[in-house]
Amino acid sequence: MSDAPTKEMDRSALDPEVEKALKALDLDPARPLIISDADEVLLQFVAGLELYLDRQGLWLDLQSFALSGNIKEKVTNKPVPIERTPDLLADFFVSEAGKLEAVEHAASALKTLSGRAQIIILTNIPFAQRDARAESLARQGMDYPVIANKGLKGAAVHYLAKQTSGPTFFLDDLPHNIRSVAEAHEPSRRLHFIADKRLAKLLPPSEHSHFHSSHWPDAQTFIEEELSTSGF
Ligand SMILES: [Mg+2]
């Protein structure tokens, strides 16, 4: 949840800062790749956002899968102006990027999967909060390379996938990222994962995904079976 596609984002373009971080990764070309989003996949984004909003006298009305228009004042119940959403989110990331709690079973699933694949966390967090996020994930048992991405994720996934010969898995809660990855790297296996069950109910599974879940043990099984099918 958290980011929305904007017109100026070119699907095929890789942000220079993102490219620099991707280049610095030490990938094993022979091992499969699992590329996972963080917010609402590995970390409880909405639950953390609700705690933050509560402290600002606001609440999130989960009537649709969007933040803009659904953040409301507690006293008046009026939506805060849509133009304020980016500032609220920016402040949320500054104050909470290092504090979000892990999604249940995410760390143990990734730990098991890391025996058969290399794991990269690709998260649309501001560059300034990348380290806080990486430390928070490591503290909660998810010590994997963290790349702060900007915009749609297809270009970054394509960049990583072309350096490896094994299968590439991609997990995200946002349909526009899953579509972007489908377009940029069609052979990827795409999991539409939305940890918060209230949110998951608001959105149909992405037509560009191969699997849909809110439960990490099920996602782990799907990936393990796919790895076995591919001979890994
Ligand atoms: Mg997300």
Side-chain angles (χ1 to χ4, degrees), residues 1-3 37-43 45 65 122-124 133 153 171-174 177 193:
M1 219 183 165
S2 107
D3 61 336
D37 178 33
D39 288 310
E40 222 41 68
V41 178
L42 303 177
L43 296 171
F45 170 79
F65 194 88
L122 185 65
T123 173
N124 276 19
R133 165 140 292 180
K153 295 188 177 175
L171 299 97
D172 210 289
D173 60 316
L174 297 178
N177 280 329
F193 193 100

Side-chain angles (χ1 to χ4, degrees), residues 2-227:
S2 107
D3 61 336
T6 57
K7 270 189 195 146
E8 66 270 21
M9 282 174 193
D10 177 350
R11 246 166 236 184
S12 60
L14 197 49
D15 181 276
E17 281 280 321
V18 178
E19 188 173 3
K20 211 169 104 188
L22 293 173
K23 263 190 186 150
L25 289 171
D26 187 18
L27 290 179
D28 180 345
R31 295 189 84 210
L33 205 51
I34 297 171
I35 303 169
S36 180
D37 178 33
D39 288 310
E40 222 41 68
V41 178
L42 303 177
L43 296 171
Q44 298 179 37
F45 170 79
V46 165
L49 180 64
E50 286 178 317
L51 289 172
Y52 164 83
L53 290 175
D54 187 65
R55 292 198 297 274
Q56 323 288 319
L58 303 168
W59 72 289
L60 181 61
D61 187 359
L62 284 170
Q63 55 180 343
S64 63
F65 194 88
L67 298 178
S68 293
N70 287 336
I71 297 174
K72 297 183 173 176
E73 289 179 16
K74 282 199 279 191
V75 176
T76 63
N77 221 23
K78 277 190 187 150
V80 304
I82 284 170
E83 314 84 76
R84 254 188 82 198
T85 310
D87 287 343
L88 274 170
L89 273 181
D91 185 57
F92 165 73
F93 279 123
V94 169
S95 89
E96 308 296 311
K99 297 181 193 160
L100 297 184
E101 285 190 26
V103 167
E104 196 180 17
H105 306 303
S108 59
L110 287 188
K111 187 164 192 265
T112 305
L113 289 168
S114 69
R116 295 173 72 179
Q118 48 201 332
I119 291 162
I120 307 285
I121 299 171
L122 185 65
T123 173
N124 276 19
I125 193 156
F127 295 131
Q129 277 90 55
R130 194 218 73 96
D131 291 356
R133 165 140 292 180
E135 281 159 21
S136 153
L137 285 161
R139 196 172 61 238
Q140 301 187 78
M142 294 178 275
D143 190 5
Y144 306 103
V146 175
I147 303 290
N149 186 61
K150 213 171 173 185
L152 292 166
K153 295 188 177 175
V157 170
H158 177 66
Y159 183 96
L160 294 171
K162 72 183 183 194
Q163 295 177 58
T164 56
S165 54
T168 295
F169 297 87
F170 175 71
L171 299 97
D172 210 289
D173 60 316
L174 297 178
H176 57 258
N177 280 329
I178 295 170
R179 188 187 65 231
S180 149
V181 169
E183 287 168 357
H185 187 66
E186 198 279 326
S188 57
R189 306 302 285 167
R190 298 171 295 275
L191 291 83
H192 191 183
F193 193 100
I194 309 175
D196 190 298
K197 294 202 173 70
R198 297 168 300 166
L199 276 187
K201 273 188 208 151
L202 296 172
L203 204 62
S206 159
E207 58 180 314
H208 301 288
S209 67
H210 304 94
F211 186 79
H212 183 261
S213 184
S214 296
H215 190 52
W216 260 103
D218 293 343
Q220 180 186 336
T221 302
F222 173 82
I223 294 171
E224 285 171 339
E225 286 174 1
E226 292 278 319
L227 285 171

